[in-house]
PDB file of all heavy atoms in Angstrom:
ATOM      1  N   GLY A  43      16.655 -79.036  33.711  1.00 86.00           N
ATOM      2  CA  GLY A  43      17.368 -78.043  32.938  1.00 86.00           C
ATOM      3  C   GLY A  43      17.449 -76.738  33.674  1.00 86.00           C
ATOM      4  O   GLY A  43      16.786 -76.533  34.696  1.00 86.00           O
ATOM      5  N   ALA A  44      18.245 -75.816  33.132  1.00 83.00           N
ATOM      6  CA  ALA A  44      18.456 -74.559  33.801  1.00 83.00           C
ATOM      7  C   ALA A  44      17.220 -73.670  33.700  1.00 83.00           C
ATOM      8  O   ALA A  44      16.509 -73.672  32.668  1.00 83.00           O
ATOM      9  CB  ALA A  44      19.659 -73.853  33.151  1.00 83.00           C
ATOM     10  N   GLN A  45      16.963 -72.921  34.745  1.00 75.00           N
ATOM     11  CA  GLN A  45      15.797 -72.044  34.785  1.00 75.00           C
ATOM     12  C   GLN A  45      15.829 -70.963  33.718  1.00 75.00           C
ATOM     13  O   GLN A  45      14.781 -70.575  33.225  1.00 75.00           O
ATOM     14  CB  GLN A  45      15.657 -71.368  36.145  1.00 75.00           C
ATOM     15  CG  GLN A  45      15.177 -72.300  37.222  1.00 75.00           C
ATOM     16  CD  GLN A  45      14.988 -71.576  38.509  1.00 75.00           C
ATOM     17  OE1 GLN A  45      15.644 -70.607  38.830  1.00 75.00           O
ATOM     18  NE2 GLN A  45      14.054 -72.084  39.324  1.00 75.00           N
ATOM     19  N   GLU A  46      17.010 -70.512  33.339  1.00 72.00           N
ATOM     20  CA  GLU A  46      17.067 -69.402  32.380  1.00 72.00           C
ATOM     21  C   GLU A  46      16.868 -69.825  30.930  1.00 72.00           C
ATOM     22  O   GLU A  46      16.788 -69.003  30.073  1.00 72.00           O
ATOM     23  CB  GLU A  46      18.375 -68.629  32.503  1.00 72.00           C
ATOM     24  CG  GLU A  46      19.615 -69.439  32.187  1.00 72.00           C
ATOM     25  CD  GLU A  46      20.241 -70.102  33.385  1.00 72.00           C
ATOM     26  OE1 GLU A  46      19.583 -70.236  34.436  1.00 72.00           O
ATOM     27  OE2 GLU A  46      21.395 -70.525  33.296  1.00 72.00           O
ATOM     28  N   HIS A  47      16.724 -71.125  30.698  1.00 68.00           N
ATOM     29  CA  HIS A  47      16.446 -71.597  29.331  1.00 68.00           C
ATOM     30  C   HIS A  47      15.005 -72.108  29.293  1.00 68.00           C
ATOM     31  O   HIS A  47      14.544 -72.728  30.205  1.00 68.00           O
ATOM     32  CB  HIS A  47      17.427 -72.700  28.938  1.00 68.00           C
ATOM     33  CG  HIS A  47      18.852 -72.210  28.926  1.00 68.00           C
ATOM     34  ND1 HIS A  47      19.333 -71.458  27.890  1.00 68.00           N
ATOM     35  CD2 HIS A  47      19.844 -72.350  29.805  1.00 68.00           C
ATOM     36  CE1 HIS A  47      20.606 -71.192  28.124  1.00 68.00           C
ATOM     37  NE2 HIS A  47      20.944 -71.710  29.292  1.00 68.00           N
ATOM     38  N   VAL A  48      14.368 -71.857  28.183  1.00 64.00           N
ATOM     39  CA  VAL A  48      12.963 -72.266  28.041  1.00 64.00           C
ATOM     40  C   VAL A  48      12.911 -73.663  27.466  1.00 64.00           C
ATOM     41  O   VAL A  48      13.600 -73.991  26.494  1.00 64.00           O
ATOM     42  CB  VAL A  48      12.225 -71.285  27.116  1.00 64.00           C
ATOM     43  CG1 VAL A  48      10.783 -71.703  26.924  1.00 64.00           C
ATOM     44  CG2 VAL A  48      12.277 -69.894  27.682  1.00 64.00           C
ATOM     45  N   ALA A  49      12.072 -74.522  28.023  1.00 61.00           N
ATOM     46  CA  ALA A  49      11.924 -75.886  27.530  1.00 61.00           C
ATOM     47  C   ALA A  49      10.598 -75.978  26.783  1.00 61.00           C
ATOM     48  O   ALA A  49       9.598 -75.415  27.189  1.00 61.00           O
ATOM     49  CB  ALA A  49      11.919 -76.872  28.693  1.00 61.00           C
ATOM     50  N   THR A  50      10.612 -76.698  25.664  1.00 61.00           N
ATOM     51  CA  THR A  50       9.380 -76.947  24.939  1.00 61.00           C
ATOM     52  C   THR A  50       8.681 -78.163  25.545  1.00 61.00           C
ATOM     53  O   THR A  50       9.335 -79.114  25.934  1.00 61.00           O
ATOM     54  CB  THR A  50       9.683 -77.174  23.462  1.00 61.00           C
ATOM     55  OG1 THR A  50       8.430 -77.484  22.803  1.00 61.00           O
ATOM     56  CG2 THR A  50      10.629 -78.316  23.209  1.00 61.00           C
ATOM     57  N   THR A  51       7.390 -78.129  25.629  1.00 60.00           N
ATOM     58  CA  THR A  51       6.641 -79.276  26.199  1.00 60.00           C
ATOM     59  C   THR A  51       5.829 -80.033  25.154  1.00 60.00           C
ATOM     60  O   THR A  51       5.093 -80.899  25.498  1.00 60.00           O
ATOM     61  CB  THR A  51       5.713 -78.770  27.305  1.00 60.00           C
ATOM     62  OG1 THR A  51       4.791 -77.805  26.756  1.00 60.00           O
ATOM     63  CG2 THR A  51       6.462 -78.150  28.460  1.00 60.00           C
ATOM     64  N   SER A  52       6.028 -79.724  23.888  1.00 57.00           N
ATOM     65  CA  SER A  52       5.201 -80.326  22.867  1.00 57.00           C
ATOM     66  C   SER A  52       5.491 -81.805  22.668  1.00 57.00           C
ATOM     67  O   SER A  52       4.642 -82.517  22.144  1.00 57.00           O
ATOM     68  CB  SER A  52       5.441 -79.601  21.520  1.00 57.00           C
ATOM     69  OG  SER A  52       6.755 -79.719  21.123  1.00 57.00           O
ATOM     70  N   VAL A  53       6.657 -82.302  23.079  1.00 59.00           N
ATOM     71  CA  VAL A  53       6.970 -83.708  22.887  1.00 59.00           C
ATOM     72  C   VAL A  53       6.755 -84.564  24.130  1.00 59.00           C
ATOM     73  O   VAL A  53       7.038 -85.751  24.134  1.00 59.00           O
ATOM     74  CB  VAL A  53       8.477 -83.868  22.440  1.00 59.00           C
ATOM     75  CG1 VAL A  53       8.673 -83.213  21.115  1.00 59.00           C
ATOM     76  CG2 VAL A  53       9.397 -83.314  23.477  1.00 59.00           C
ATOM     77  N   LEU A  54       6.209 -83.953  25.177  1.00 71.00           N
ATOM     78  CA  LEU A  54       6.086 -84.679  26.426  1.00 71.00           C
ATOM     79  C   LEU A  54       4.822 -85.527  26.504  1.00 71.00           C
ATOM     80  O   LEU A  54       3.775 -85.111  26.058  1.00 71.00           O
ATOM     81  CB  LEU A  54       6.089 -83.682  27.627  1.00 71.00           C
ATOM     82  CG  LEU A  54       7.336 -82.826  27.746  1.00 71.00           C
ATOM     83  CD1 LEU A  54       7.175 -81.889  28.934  1.00 71.00           C
ATOM     84  CD2 LEU A  54       8.565 -83.685  27.910  1.00 71.00           C
ATOM     85  N   GLY A  55       4.993 -86.687  27.118  1.00 73.00           N
ATOM     86  CA  GLY A  55       3.868 -87.491  27.425  1.00 73.00           C
ATOM     87  C   GLY A  55       3.426 -87.223  28.856  1.00 73.00           C
ATOM     88  O   GLY A  55       4.083 -86.460  29.569  1.00 73.00           O
ATOM     89  N   PRO A  56       2.382 -87.871  29.323  1.00 74.00           N
ATOM     90  CA  PRO A  56       1.857 -87.595  30.684  1.00 74.00           C
ATOM     91  C   PRO A  56       2.804 -88.077  31.783  1.00 74.00           C
ATOM     92  O   PRO A  56       2.665 -87.642  32.934  1.00 74.00           O
ATOM     93  CB  PRO A  56       0.526 -88.343  30.709  1.00 74.00           C
ATOM     94  CG  PRO A  56       0.698 -89.428  29.666  1.00 74.00           C
ATOM     95  CD  PRO A  56       1.582 -88.849  28.607  1.00 74.00           C
ATOM     96  N   ASP A  57       3.739 -88.987  31.471  1.00 80.00           N
ATOM     97  CA  ASP A  57       4.628 -89.494  32.509  1.00 80.00           C
ATOM     98  C   ASP A  57       6.055 -88.978  32.356  1.00 80.00           C
ATOM     99  O   ASP A  57       6.993 -89.627  32.820  1.00 80.00           O
ATOM    100  CB  ASP A  57       4.592 -91.018  32.551  1.00 80.00           C
ATOM    101  CG  ASP A  57       4.864 -91.663  31.177  1.00 80.00           C
ATOM    102  OD1 ASP A  57       5.031 -90.923  30.208  1.00 80.00           O
ATOM    103  OD2 ASP A  57       4.922 -92.882  31.120  1.00 80.00           O
ATOM    104  N   VAL A  58       6.180 -87.796  31.731  1.00 84.00           N
ATOM    105  CA  VAL A  58       7.475 -87.139  31.607  1.00 84.00           C
ATOM    106  C   VAL A  58       7.391 -85.859  32.402  1.00 84.00           C
ATOM    107  O   VAL A  58       6.454 -85.050  32.211  1.00 84.00           O
ATOM    108  CB  VAL A  58       7.876 -86.842  30.157  1.00 84.00           C
ATOM    109  CG1 VAL A  58       9.195 -86.101  30.084  1.00 84.00           C
ATOM    110  CG2 VAL A  58       7.928 -88.140  29.364  1.00 84.00           C
ATOM    111  N   LYS A  59       8.360 -85.615  33.284  1.00 88.00           N
ATOM    112  CA  LYS A  59       8.323 -84.432  34.158  1.00 88.00           C
ATOM    113  C   LYS A  59       9.515 -83.541  33.881  1.00 88.00           C
ATOM    114  O   LYS A  59      10.596 -84.002  33.640  1.00 88.00           O
ATOM    115  CB  LYS A  59       8.380 -84.922  35.628  1.00 88.00           C
ATOM    116  CG  LYS A  59       8.351 -83.861  36.640  1.00 88.00           C
ATOM    117  CD  LYS A  59       6.966 -83.391  36.897  1.00 88.00           C
ATOM    118  CE  LYS A  59       6.942 -82.396  38.039  1.00 88.00           C
ATOM    119  NZ  LYS A  59       5.839 -81.520  38.007  1.00 88.00           N
ATOM    120  N   LEU A  60       9.280 -82.210  33.840  1.00 88.00           N
ATOM    121  CA  LEU A  60      10.330 -81.240  33.676  1.00 88.00           C
ATOM    122  C   LEU A  60      10.645 -80.579  35.026  1.00 88.00           C
ATOM    123  O   LEU A  60       9.695 -80.204  35.747  1.00 88.00           O
ATOM    124  CB  LEU A  60       9.936 -80.117  32.714  1.00 88.00           C
ATOM    125  CG  LEU A  60       9.664 -80.523  31.276  1.00 88.00           C
ATOM    126  CD1 LEU A  60       9.339 -79.245  30.487  1.00 88.00           C
ATOM    127  CD2 LEU A  60      10.822 -81.237  30.682  1.00 88.00           C
ATOM    128  N   LEU A  61      11.900 -80.491  35.390  1.00 90.00           N
ATOM    129  CA  LEU A  61      12.312 -79.782  36.595  1.00 90.00           C
ATOM    130  C   LEU A  61      13.245 -78.658  36.184  1.00 90.00           C
ATOM    131  O   LEU A  61      14.233 -78.899  35.491  1.00 90.00           O
ATOM    132  CB  LEU A  61      13.040 -80.724  37.542  1.00 90.00           C
ATOM    133  CG  LEU A  61      12.249 -81.883  38.077  1.00 90.00           C
ATOM    134  CD1 LEU A  61      13.138 -82.739  38.991  1.00 90.00           C
ATOM    135  CD2 LEU A  61      11.021 -81.437  38.809  1.00 90.00           C
ATOM    136  N   GLN A  62      12.913 -77.468  36.607  1.00 89.00           N
ATOM    137  CA  GLN A  62      13.823 -76.338  36.329  1.00 89.00           C
ATOM    138  C   GLN A  62      14.686 -76.152  37.573  1.00 89.00           C
ATOM    139  O   GLN A  62      14.184 -76.027  38.690  1.00 89.00           O
ATOM    140  CB  GLN A  62      13.034 -75.073  36.049  1.00 89.00           C
ATOM    141  CG  GLN A  62      12.299 -75.216  34.691  1.00 89.00           C
ATOM    142  CD  GLN A  62      11.644 -73.904  34.301  1.00 89.00           C
ATOM    143  OE1 GLN A  62      11.383 -73.031  35.107  1.00 89.00           O
ATOM    144  NE2 GLN A  62      11.309 -73.785  33.001  1.00 89.00           N
ATOM    145  N   VAL A  63      15.993 -76.138  37.361  1.00 89.00           N
ATOM    146  CA  VAL A  63      16.973 -76.120  38.460  1.00 89.00           C
ATOM    147  C   VAL A  63      17.803 -74.851  38.386  1.00 89.00           C
ATOM    148  O   VAL A  63      18.254 -74.482  37.318  1.00 89.00           O
ATOM    149  CB  VAL A  63      17.863 -77.386  38.393  1.00 89.00           C
ATOM    150  CG1 VAL A  63      18.814 -77.425  39.577  1.00 89.00           C
ATOM    151  CG2 VAL A  63      17.023 -78.661  38.341  1.00 89.00           C
ATOM    152  N   GLU A  64      17.983 -74.231  39.543  1.00 86.00           N
ATOM    153  CA  GLU A  64      18.835 -73.055  39.637  1.00 86.00           C
ATOM    154  C   GLU A  64      20.299 -73.434  39.433  1.00 86.00           C
ATOM    155  O   GLU A  64      20.688 -74.551  39.685  1.00 86.00           O
ATOM    156  CB  GLU A  64      18.677 -72.393  41.016  1.00 86.00           C
ATOM    157  CG  GLU A  64      17.303 -71.815  41.254  1.00 86.00           C
ATOM    158  CD  GLU A  64      17.204 -71.168  42.625  1.00 86.00           C
ATOM    159  OE1 GLU A  64      18.248 -70.919  43.244  1.00 86.00           O
ATOM    160  OE2 GLU A  64      16.082 -70.926  43.041  1.00 86.00           O
ATOM    161  N   ARG A  65      21.071 -72.429  39.054  1.00 82.00           N
ATOM    162  CA  ARG A  65      22.504 -72.647  38.963  1.00 82.00           C
ATOM    163  C   ARG A  65      23.163 -72.527  40.359  1.00 82.00           C
ATOM    164  O   ARG A  65      22.670 -71.748  41.185  1.00 82.00           O
ATOM    165  CB  ARG A  65      23.158 -71.575  38.089  1.00 82.00           C
ATOM    166  CG  ARG A  65      22.876 -71.775  36.624  1.00 82.00           C
ATOM    167  CD  ARG A  65      23.604 -70.699  35.843  1.00 82.00           C
ATOM    168  NE  ARG A  65      23.405 -70.843  34.441  1.00 82.00           N
ATOM    169  CZ  ARG A  65      24.183 -71.555  33.646  1.00 82.00           C
ATOM    170  NH1 ARG A  65      25.282 -72.153  34.099  1.00 82.00           N
ATOM    171  NH2 ARG A  65      23.919 -71.651  32.357  1.00 82.00           N
TER     172      ARG A  65
END
Side-chain angles (χ1 to χ4, degrees):
Q45 284 184 331
E46 63 268 17
H47 297 283
V48 178
T50 178
T51 58
S52 62
V53 296
L54 299 180
D57 54 357
V58 178
K59 180 81 175 156
L60 297 182
L61 298 179
Q62 293 186 340
V63 183
E64 294 180 15
R65 287 183 179 268

